[in-house]
Amino acid sequence: MGKIATRKAFGQKLEELGASHKNIVVLDADLSKSTKSELFAKKFPERFFEMGIAEANMISTAAGLAFAGNKPFCCSFACFLTGRYDQIRMSVAYPRAPVVLVGTHAGIGIGEDGNSQMGLEDINLMRGLPNMMVFQPADEMETHQVVEFVSQYKDGPAYLRLTRQGVEDVSPANYRFKPGKGQILREGDDVAVIASGGVVMPALQAARALEKDGVSAAVINMASIKPIDEETIINYARQCGKVFTVEDHNIIGGLGTAVGEVLIENGIHCAFRRHGLYDVFGESGSPDSLYEKYRLDDAGIAVTLKEFMQGVTK
Amino acid sequence: MKYPRKDLSNEDLAVMCKKARRDIVKMLAEAGSGHPGGSLSAIDLIMMLHYKFMRHSPQESDPDKQDVFVLSKGHGVPALYAAYAAMDYIPREELLSLRKLGSPLQGHPDKILMPLLKASTGSLGQGLSVAQGYAFSARVKKTGQHVYCLVGDGECNEGQIWEAAMSAGHYKLAGLTVVLDYNKAQIDGLVHEVMDSEPLRQKWEAFGWRTFEIDGHNLEEMEKTFHQCLEEKEKPQVVIAHTIKGKGVSFMEKDLVKWHGVAPSQEELQVALKELQ
């Protein structure tokens, strides 16, 4: 199985859509080689705007392009993009500008560059904005489908969170992405594992590994974090009685928090654990060494899930 | 297109500007809060652009055929509402709903509630970038639209203004005219005391802009300058308009810092209206 970074899958799809969707315009802040928006830039230079290292200006400019009837994709690293919160709030979200904010280099999975380049609070920030949708695809196919969906969406902005590192395919061949819909990757009765983005495959492997310990774990890929699939969360929480979320993001305000809100507001009392970055910043290291240290690789998730099943709290 | 009305004389426009000033102080007094100083300093510029330069019409549904005006200094929006009422884009009686619950006339521009507006502003520094986005679009789609953006002098404290100045200069956005309402005061004091932005003209020039410096209440000078802006094909243009905060109301002109963000009382309104006859 080939490993493709979701940023690369994004770049390729955008380049493809550029030919048929003449209203697509792309902006980048001196990171087009990293966000992969360069693929579009090379093919459609007249619809690509290099904005230099000035993200605030880029975001508000994208809003103006959107108001004038274009479909802007506004690209940078997740942390730099969402760091310009006031511009996203006032220029984009409040007036429902149909801008797609593309934040690549999500999580500690980026590795050596360290904390300053890691998007670790971005889901929390974007989830808190009215009118903003938040999507985090788990593999190449899902990324293509999410990009296709947002490219046609006219009623408001969306935040797309993408990985630097390659990810393996998790989606079945017949998968169709729908906003507000989770994807069941594995059925199970003892615990519902809900994951998103680059850690979906490790979460799936962890669930498989626990089979030998007699644990039957369902695995749900939650690419659509806002809107979120309340029905699937409720059904699987009731069926399994235990919910375990996994994300390469601070556990505060991310996928786990979104799932927890659904559980509590629907009166579901179950064992619940948010696994991810436990309210800490990132650091330098190889992606593998970081995933090992922060227990986001197959083995680390499996150990943490096992502890959770045994009632060990963090 | 209903506008621009090139036949309109500046004498007639001056009468309409005075009426718009009366609307501004009336709606602010009724609202009990808001920003009279910067609305009165900007109204002549806004009226000139909308009446005699911008192509637009309530009957025209294609936005690509109309010129664009972005109010970056969102707190000056009573002036824009007054101009809209003057041009019959909104009913005049609606002006008195300013800042009241349920009104599309929000305290700062809200594009969703009032689709006439081209941006939702109020967090300073952002509107110029939004205007740049419209100008980029006009270039990509080859619409021939001209984009105007009104920024405040205090607003030029914001770093984002200079990010946009750099990028519009870099892209040689000749279809973009910035009008800088240089009324010399901001909330905490005079601009040169709060955060001296001089030399302002040289700053814009250094970023690759064609610059003009005019009296922002002299309609003849304004008209001549905006014509020159339309002839420019190589650079974005900034018109630094020296204005008087609270222009037309003597007690506001005398105490310009105070009248940045305080609405007149009913008694003060009567004095103002008498002066604006």
Side-chain angles (χ1 to χ4, degrees):
Chain A
M1 235 181 309
K3 275 185 157 197
I4 290 185
T6 55
R7 62 175 167 145
K8 191 171 179 194
F10 153 75
Q12 290 168 340
K13 190 67 185 178
L14 193 62
E15 179 190 16
E16 179 197 320
L17 291 176
S20 51
H21 296 50
K22 303 286 185 203
N23 63 337
I24 292 181
V25 292
V26 179
L27 304 92
D28 206 308
D30 196 34
L31 284 171
S32 68
K33 288 177 189 163
S34 300
T35 65
K36 300 300 169 197
S37 71
E38 68 170 350
L39 298 171
F40 181 97
K42 280 180 186 151
K43 211 157 187 179
F44 309 101
E46 71 289 350
R47 285 188 276 146
F48 176 80
F49 295 95
E50 172 59 75
M51 300 304 292
I53 310 166
E55 295 80 9
N57 183 39
M58 171 173 75
I59 291 162
S60 301
T61 301
L65 276 158
F67 297 145
N70 307 281
K71 184 73 204 184
F73 282 73
C74 189
C75 316
S76 185
F77 288 3
C79 53
F80 304 143
L81 206 55
T82 61
R84 276 59 182 179
Y85 199 59
D86 187 24
Q87 282 74 22
I88 297 175
R89 176 177 184 265
M90 274 307 298
S91 293
V92 176
Y94 179 52
R96 288 186 213 132
V99 171
V100 183
L101 298 162
V102 182
T104 67
H105 292 58
I108 58 171
I110 73 160
E112 291 82 353
D113 272 344
N115 180 68
S116 70
Q117 320 293 302
M118 293 170 169
L120 290 171
E121 305 83 22
D122 51 317
I123 295 177
N124 187 17
L125 290 164
M126 293 301 102
R127 225 167 59 81
L129 286 172
N131 304 331
M132 184 68 70
M133 298 186 295
V134 179
F135 303 131
Q136 177 169 233
D139 63 11
E140 181 186 15
M141 181 204 249
E142 191 167 49
T143 304
H144 287 171
Q145 295 192 15
V146 172
V147 173
E148 192 140 8
F149 169 77
V150 293
S151 71
Q152 316 237 15
Y153 190 77
K154 292 188 175 79
D155 297 333
Y159 177 61
L160 192 50
R161 186 177 201 250
L162 303 173
T163 64
R164 173 183 181 273
Q165 76 274 24
V167 289
E168 285 172 35
D169 295 336
V170 291
S171 303
N174 61 352
Y175 172 65
R176 298 304 307 166
F177 168 78
K178 271 198 201 133
K181 203 79 198 106
Q183 181 192 176
I184 316 300
L185 295 177
R186 188 174 197 272
E187 292 291 352
D189 298 319
D190 297 333
V191 59
V193 176
I194 304 176
S196 183
V199 291
V200 171
M201 182 50 102
L204 186 60
Q205 297 291 24
R208 285 174 182 151
L210 258 65
E211 188 89 64
K212 66 172 178 352
D213 299 311
V215 175
S216 164
V219 178
I220 300 155
N221 169 24
M222 204 61 85
S224 180
I225 295 173
K226 186 186 174 188
I228 200 160
D229 187 348
E230 298 207 11
E231 194 187 343
T232 297
I233 294 170
I234 293 165
N235 288 345
Y236 277 80
R238 287 210 171 110
Q239 177 183 315
C240 302
K242 287 186 171 67
V243 174
F244 183 88
T245 62
V246 190
E247 59 193 316
D248 186 354
H249 182 276
N250 193 344
I251 57 165
I252 294 178
L255 168 73
T257 300
V259 170
E261 287 164 359
V262 173
L263 296 175
I264 292 165
E265 290 190 335
N266 287 283
I268 294 172
H269 300 278
C270 66
F272 177 57
R273 169 77 177 263
R274 295 170 298 165
H275 183 50
L277 273 285
Y278 292 86
D279 203 20
V280 292
F281 288 114
E283 60 181 307
S284 288
S286 70
D288 287 348
S289 67
L290 285 166
Y291 266 30
E292 188 185 344
K293 175 176 175 180
Y294 291 91
R295 290 186 166 193
L296 284 173
D297 57 355
D298 303 3
I301 295 170
V303 168
T304 313
L305 181 57
K306 204 166 166 182
E307 287 173 359
F308 171 66
M309 297 305 288
Q310 292 163 350
V312 179
T313 55
K314 60 183 173 180
Chain B
M1 283 295 162
K2 192 171 174 192
Y3 300 96
R5 287 177 51 190
K6 288 178 177 153
D7 56 322
L8 182 69
S9 74
N10 284 340
E11 289 70 33
D12 287 345
L13 183 61
V15 172
M16 291 152 83
C17 288
K18 204 168 230 185
K19 190 176 178 193
R21 284 194 157 82
R22 290 199 293 276
D23 283 338
I24 290 169
V25 289
K26 271 192 232 170
M27 72 174 108
L28 285 165
E30 173 66 24
S33 67
H35 303 82
S39 300
L40 292 167
S41 65
I43 187 66
D44 296 326
L45 296 157
I46 289 173
M47 292 287 278
M48 175 61 83
L49 288 175
H50 282 82
Y51 269 95
K52 297 186 75 169
F53 282 89
M54 290 168 56
R55 291 164 296 176
H56 61 108
S57 172
Q59 283 79 41
E60 176 56 62
S61 56
D62 185 355
D64 284 355
K65 292 185 176 151
Q66 309 193 50
D67 290 329
V68 176
F69 178 85
V70 174
L71 182 71
S72 195
K73 48 167 279 185
H75 56 281
V77 75
L80 191 52
Y81 295 150
Y84 284 158
M87 296 182 290
D88 289 328
Y89 273 100
I90 59 174
R92 170 162 261 111
E93 57 273 18
E94 206 169 47
L95 293 177
L96 296 181
S97 71
L98 172 70
R99 291 176 166 250
K100 290 182 180 165
L101 190 63
S103 171
L105 282 73
Q106 293 284 295
H108 291 77
D110 181 329
K111 185 176 185 307
I112 296 293
L113 291 178
M114 189 181 282
L116 273 172
L117 296 162
K118 297 298 180 185
S120 295
T121 53
S123 178
L124 292 172
Q126 300 184 22
L128 177 51
S129 304
V130 177
Q132 171 174 252
Y134 279 103
F136 278 169
S137 177
R139 179 173 283 184
V140 170
K141 297 202 230 170
K142 302 184 173 68
T143 61
Q145 291 163 287
H146 199 86
V147 181
Y148 296 93
C149 181
L150 186 75
V151 304
D153 48 5
E155 185 175 16
C156 291
N157 295 172
E158 289 279 5
Q160 192 177 350
I161 289 289
W162 303 106
E163 289 185 3
M166 192 185 294
S167 56
H170 173 81
Y171 279 99
K172 304 188 193 317
L173 268 187
L176 175 65
T177 298
V178 163
V179 181
L180 202 162
D181 180 10
Y182 201 178
N183 63 28
K184 319 291 187 299
Q186 54 195 105
I187 298 181
D188 275 356
L190 297 172
V191 170
H192 72 90
E193 291 169 354
V194 174
M195 188 54 62
D196 193 0
S197 45
E198 287 292 351
L200 208 43
R201 186 169 187 169
Q202 286 92 319
K203 284 190 176 73
W204 289 92
E205 255 163 22
F207 283 115
W209 291 58
R210 184 170 177 192
T211 62
F212 300 90
E213 210 158 348
I214 64 164
D215 172 350
H217 302 299
N218 181 328
L219 299 178
E220 301 294 335
E221 196 181 354
M222 212 184 275
E223 186 172 18
K224 195 174 132 241
T225 306
F226 287 144
H227 273 301
Q228 287 177 288
C229 288
L230 286 177
E231 285 156 15
E232 172 62 48
K233 300 287 177 239
E234 301 294 325
K235 294 173 171 184
Q237 319 89 46
V238 60
V239 178
I240 299 171
H242 291 272
T243 56
I244 296 167
K245 203 148 182 163
K247 170 74 176 173
V249 180
S250 59
F251 61 86
M252 291 186 183
E253 290 185 20
K254 278 186 203 118
D255 204 353
L256 42 128
V257 172
K258 172 188 167 183
W259 290 99
H260 172 90
V262 180
S265 66
Q266 284 303 320
E267 297 72 41
E268 288 162 334
L269 171 64
Q270 295 314 316
V271 176
L273 286 176
K274 200 174 272 179
E275 290 186 20
L276 291 168
Q277 277 310 311

